[in-house]
Amino acid sequence: MKSFIVKTPARRVFEVFNYVFLVCFALVCLMPVLHVIFASFSDPTLMAQHSGLIWKPLFDETHPLTLYGYKMVFGNDSLLMGYANTIFYCALGGAFSTILCTMGGFVLSRKGLVLKKYIMIFLTITMFFNGGMIPTYMVIKKIGLLNNRLVMIIPNAVNVMSLVIIRTAIQGMPTSLEESARLDGAGNFTILFKIVIPLVKATVAVLALQYVLMKWNAYFEAMIYLNDRKMYPLQVILREILVESDSSSLTYDAELAQYADLIEYCTIVVAILPVFCFYPFILKYFTKGMMIGSLKG
């Protein structure tokens, strides 16, 4: 028997208001992104004459659409090198952090873990207190990670909040599954990789997304710990272009200075494009994974 919701006038008003509000909110969030995308194809002269957000690419008969900014961006060795470094940090760092976090959550979910309570207290303290920038820099230097690509991967590899989420998700699994596997002779690694991870793959996917985005947006650690420009991630190069107005590194002569703003817009589009392509494939796991990891404390 189907159940129907009676739509009273008050409910209809609420639904209309809800849809209008969500559409307006979506436009507010989307419009700056569209502005950057449209501006990257617009004519620089028309862009200089325009003020405020644009709703479509700016062009006319004498000022056609242009791909010149993208040609300059992809022709810049420094930017492409930063792009490759960021992809390396995201791939290796995201996989390393996700595996560590999943294994740590599995260990913390064990009922017979010795000193489990005190370990959780210690981990919780690290969420609110840390050694500070200078002591952390000294530790990084002493262990030989200064000006090393691994400094973007090993430090801060595990986030305590993510550890708690995956632990909670694993604790919500039926204990009978693990007991049956142990009766068949399965060890901890077999249970983790063949039983636990497939059942909590939504939560693992959420953690992977969080770590990849964290590595993709990381720039402060690179500014402090990396001295070799060949190791800089994309965000550091992007910061030089946008914040320090280092657009001269992308232009070949003074006559091309008028394209500085266009190149900045194209650089932003190139920087956010992989995230736009990656996010839709992981979105279906996001809500489900967060719910699984937060229902049981």
Side-chain angles (χ1 to χ4, degrees), residues 152-168:
M152 299 295 294
I153 297 172
I154 296 178
N156 300 320
V158 177
N159 181 274
V160 177
M161 182 59 68
S162 300
L163 196 65
V164 172
I165 291 175
I166 190 66
R167 183 207 65 168
T168 305

Side-chain angles (χ1 to χ4, degrees), residues 270-283:
V270 170
I272 64 176
L273 184 61
V275 178
F276 274 17
C277 296
F278 173 74
Y279 191 77
F281 295 100
I282 207 77
L283 182 62

Side-chain angles (χ1 to χ4, degrees), residues 9-10 67 104 106 111 160 168 178 180 184 195 202 204 213 223 225 249 259 267 272 282 287:
L67 294 175
F106 176 75
K111 294 182 179 179
V160 177
T168 305
E178 181 179 346
S180 300
D184 293 335
I195 297 177
V204 174
L213 291 179
M223 293 175 57
Y225 305 127
S249 63
Y259 291 96
T267 304
I272 64 176
I282 207 77
T287 304

Side-chain angles (χ1 to χ4, degrees), residues 5-292:
I5 299 177
V6 179
K7 293 188 176 182
T8 62
R11 184 173 184 82
R12 294 181 183 276
V13 172
F14 170 76
E15 289 182 351
V16 171
F17 173 79
N18 196 26
Y19 283 120
V20 171
F21 174 78
L22 291 177
V23 169
C24 293
F25 183 76
L27 288 176
V28 170
C29 297
L30 189 60
M31 195 56 219
V33 179
L34 294 178
H35 170 81
V36 173
I37 295 175
F38 293 152
S40 66
F41 295 99
S42 299
D43 182 84
T45 304
L46 298 180
M47 279 296 301
Q49 299 172 357
H50 185 84
S51 60
L53 296 174
I54 60 175
W55 295 85
K56 62 179 182 178
L58 301 179
F59 66 97
D60 54 28
E61 295 180 355
T62 58
H63 302 86
L65 294 176
T66 178
L67 294 175
Y68 184 79
Y70 290 102
K71 292 180 180 179
M72 295 292 292
V73 168
F74 287 108
N76 179 259
D77 295 335
S78 180
L79 196 69
L80 293 180
M81 182 175 56
Y83 215 104
N85 289 334
T86 295
I87 293 176
F88 172 78
Y89 297 144
C90 288
L92 185 59
F96 180 69
S97 297
T98 303
I99 293 173
L100 279 185
C101 190
T102 304
M103 295 178 65
F106 176 75
V107 172
L108 292 174
S109 67
R110 304 299 88 190
K111 294 182 179 179
L113 179 63
V114 180
L115 301 177
K116 177 180 178 179
K117 178 180 178 181
Y118 299 101
I119 293 175
M120 288 304 303
I121 292 175
F122 174 78
L123 292 174
T124 304
I125 291 175
T126 63
M127 296 174 62
F128 304 99
F129 303 98
N130 58 66
M133 184 183 301
I134 296 178
T136 303
Y137 181 88
M138 296 175 63
V139 171
I140 295 295
K141 183 177 181 180
K142 288 293 183 180
I143 62 178
L145 290 181
L146 195 63
N147 203 32
N148 190 320
R149 293 183 187 275
L150 294 179
V151 78
M152 299 295 294
I153 297 172
I154 296 178
N156 300 320
V158 177
N159 181 274
V160 177
M161 182 59 68
S162 300
L163 196 65
V164 172
I165 291 175
I166 190 66
R167 183 207 65 168
T168 305
I170 296 174
Q171 285 180 338
M173 293 175 48
T175 57
S176 58
L177 293 176
E178 181 179 346
E179 294 173 355
S180 300
R182 291 195 182 278
L183 289 175
D184 293 335
N188 288 324
F189 281 98
T190 302
I191 293 174
L192 173 61
F193 290 102
K194 293 189 176 181
I195 297 177
V196 173
I197 292 181
L199 292 176
V200 296
K201 62 180 180 179
T203 305
V204 174
V206 171
L207 298 184
L209 173 64
Q210 291 178 343
Y211 282 121
V212 167
L213 291 179
M214 189 184 304
K215 298 297 181 182
W216 184 268
N217 294 320
Y219 76 94
F220 189 69
E221 296 87 351
M223 293 175 57
I224 298 176
Y225 305 127
L226 296 180
N227 300 323
D228 190 349
R229 188 177 179 84
K230 295 181 179 179
M231 300 181 185
Y232 281 176
L234 176 65
Q235 302 302 330
V236 175
I237 305 298
L238 182 63
R239 179 183 179 274
E240 292 180 354
I241 297 173
L242 300 181
V243 178
E244 299 179 2
S245 300
D246 191 23
S247 297
S248 59
S249 63
L250 293 174
T251 56
Y252 301 109
D253 54 63
E255 296 180 0
L256 302 180
Q258 59 175 328
Y259 291 96
D261 292 337
L262 177 64
I263 294 172
E264 290 179 0
Y265 287 123
C266 294
T267 304
I268 296 174
V269 173
V270 170
I272 64 176
L273 184 61
V275 178
F276 274 17
C277 296
F278 173 74
Y279 191 77
F281 295 100
I282 207 77
L283 182 62
K284 62 180 180 180
Y285 298 108
F286 191 82
T287 304
K288 181 180 178 182
M290 292 301 292
M291 288 297 294
I292 292 176

